[in-house]
Amino acid sequence: MADSMVTRTYRARIRNHSQVRADLDSLGFAAAKLWNVGRWTVQRVWDACGQIPDANALMSYLKGHERYVDLHSQSSQRVLQELGEAFTGWYGKRDNGDTKANPPGYRKRGDQHPRSTVTFKTAGFKHDAANNRLRLSKGSNLKDGWSDFVLCEYDVIGSPETSVKNVQQVRAVHEHGEWRLHIVCRVEVDVPESSGNEVAGIDLGICNFAAVSFGGESLLYPGGALKEDEYYFAKKRAECDKSSSREARRLDHKRTDRRTHFLHTLSKTIVAECAERDVGTIVVGDLAGIREDDNGETADWGDHGNLDLHGWAFDRFTTMLDYKAEAEGISVEPVSERDTSKSCSACGRTDDSQRVERGLYVCGECGLVANADSNGAENIRQKVLPNPLREDRDNGWLAQPAVRLFDRSEGRFAPREQEPNREP
């Protein structure tokens, strides 16, 4: 074992929330407005020359804009970087043949701006570890004087023994009607001195939240339990008299806790499976932009589609996977999903018609019959292999992946033959 620094994100409540709410609201509104200014600028450039400027070009062009200086410069930079990432996600979906994909749009909720997440990098905050305080910087337009800032007193959600040190980044996030802090730290942990040489690929999706390929074995982790929770809590919340009532907030918190537990358990389970198989690298398909609509907010896919997609925090899952894997000496590499759902992992042929049903992939070239998600996971795995072997292999494992179902009664993933408790 050796000491290593890994990244951890701690969620924290703000003890003096009533005192800092107005200031955080102003920063959240400013972040949403800056996003919209950036989006409007992108449209102007596109209309003029048919090109979309990247985040660096936007930052340079908007540096003197009044909305840019509402926030600390690093916070404004992060807003425009997120806009650039959203466009990159849109490019990826278009490249994968999704002609219905909409580009990121404006952040708005009716006639109002939402409270967007505000990110503070190292120059934008000061941490008083002894008193659990964070001093967050404002932009010059929102300051009453040069020394004006937002002083947040916090309590970490979770173990009271949690020590918050080596803070790298702070995110102010508006969730369930109040502001929370997400504190990103570098933490020293014991890590195995050497990791394995094997590679695993992970394909993320809706029906199966994760499909994992080890190049001779495949595991499926269905998202049914998570979808059932989404349906259940949406129904219960609709029965509340007001969306801001105490019962509605209680349901929101419970749904968030259940979702977080599912994602933690899933990421922990996958890392354990990889460690058992001497995996040194996990390759994950990048799903950036899957949840965004033409307003830059959560995509509207219809009543049932929303329940399937809302809360499917792929970014949270990959963050959890990354730091859990790092603690085991395993690296995580995101890669583009381009053509992974269309290509045959056995012979490499790419054809839209080969995915004949949602869960079935049939290659017209070599005759491969495979579970579609397992085939996608294997294609993702092969993206980092120097010379992927496609011939003379037994591919029966692609057609019959093992299934791990989430057991609520025990809070773990169990093989399919062990029927879990399905009650929400």
Side-chain angles (χ1 to χ4, degrees), residues 281-349:
T281 303
I282 298 174
V283 192
V284 184
D286 186 2
L287 285 175
I290 191 173
R291 291 169 298 136
E292 291 157 354
D293 64 4
D294 55 358
N295 291 322
E297 298 189 55
T298 308
D300 185 359
W301 300 85
D303 293 341
H304 294 289
N306 282 340
L307 290 172
D308 287 349
L309 285 168
H310 285 191
W312 287 71
F314 294 110
D315 52 348
R316 289 195 65 197
F317 168 76
T318 52
T319 298
M320 294 175 184
L321 182 76
D322 187 66
Y323 75 71
K324 288 180 172 65
E326 190 174 12
E328 294 294 330
I330 302 172
S331 65
V332 176
E333 297 184 19
V335 298
S336 169
E337 283 205 332
R338 181 175 183 177
D339 292 337
T340 56
S341 64
K342 306 174 187 176
S343 301
C344 175
S345 60
C347 70
R349 176 178 174 175

Side-chain angles (χ1 to χ4, degrees), residues 18-93:
S18 61
Q19 299 173 27
V20 300
R21 177 197 287 271
D23 281 336
L24 292 175
D25 281 349
S26 296
L27 294 175
F29 292 142
K33 292 174 183 177
L34 178 60
W35 171 286
N36 290 345
V37 169
R39 181 62 183 84
W40 180 77
T41 302
V42 167
Q43 189 66 52
R44 286 184 60 201
V45 175
W46 172 262
D47 291 342
C49 63
Q51 299 292 323
I52 294 179
D54 61 17
N56 289 332
L58 283 175
M59 285 187 277
S60 177
Y61 181 73
L62 296 175
K63 192 172 183 179
H65 195 281
E66 59 180 337
R67 297 286 74 84
Y68 192 97
V69 292
D70 283 344
L71 302 171
H72 185 275
S73 60
Q74 290 185 340
S75 299
S76 294
Q77 290 167 13
R78 184 57 195 148
V79 171
L80 297 179
Q81 286 168 355
E82 289 173 358
L83 179 60
E85 291 165 4
F87 271 105
T88 299
W90 174 58
Y91 298 152
K93 293 173 73 176

Side-chain angles (χ1 to χ4, degrees), residues 124-153:
F125 69 86
K126 289 189 177 180
H127 183 218
D128 179 359
N131 297 296
N132 282 16
R133 292 178 178 175
L134 278 162
R135 194 178 82 176
L136 308 178
S137 296
K138 298 179 179 180
S140 57
N141 275 358
L142 298 183
K143 285 184 178 181
D144 290 333
W146 70 269
S147 62
D148 189 20
F149 51 81
V150 185
L151 183 62
C152 296
E153 301 172 359

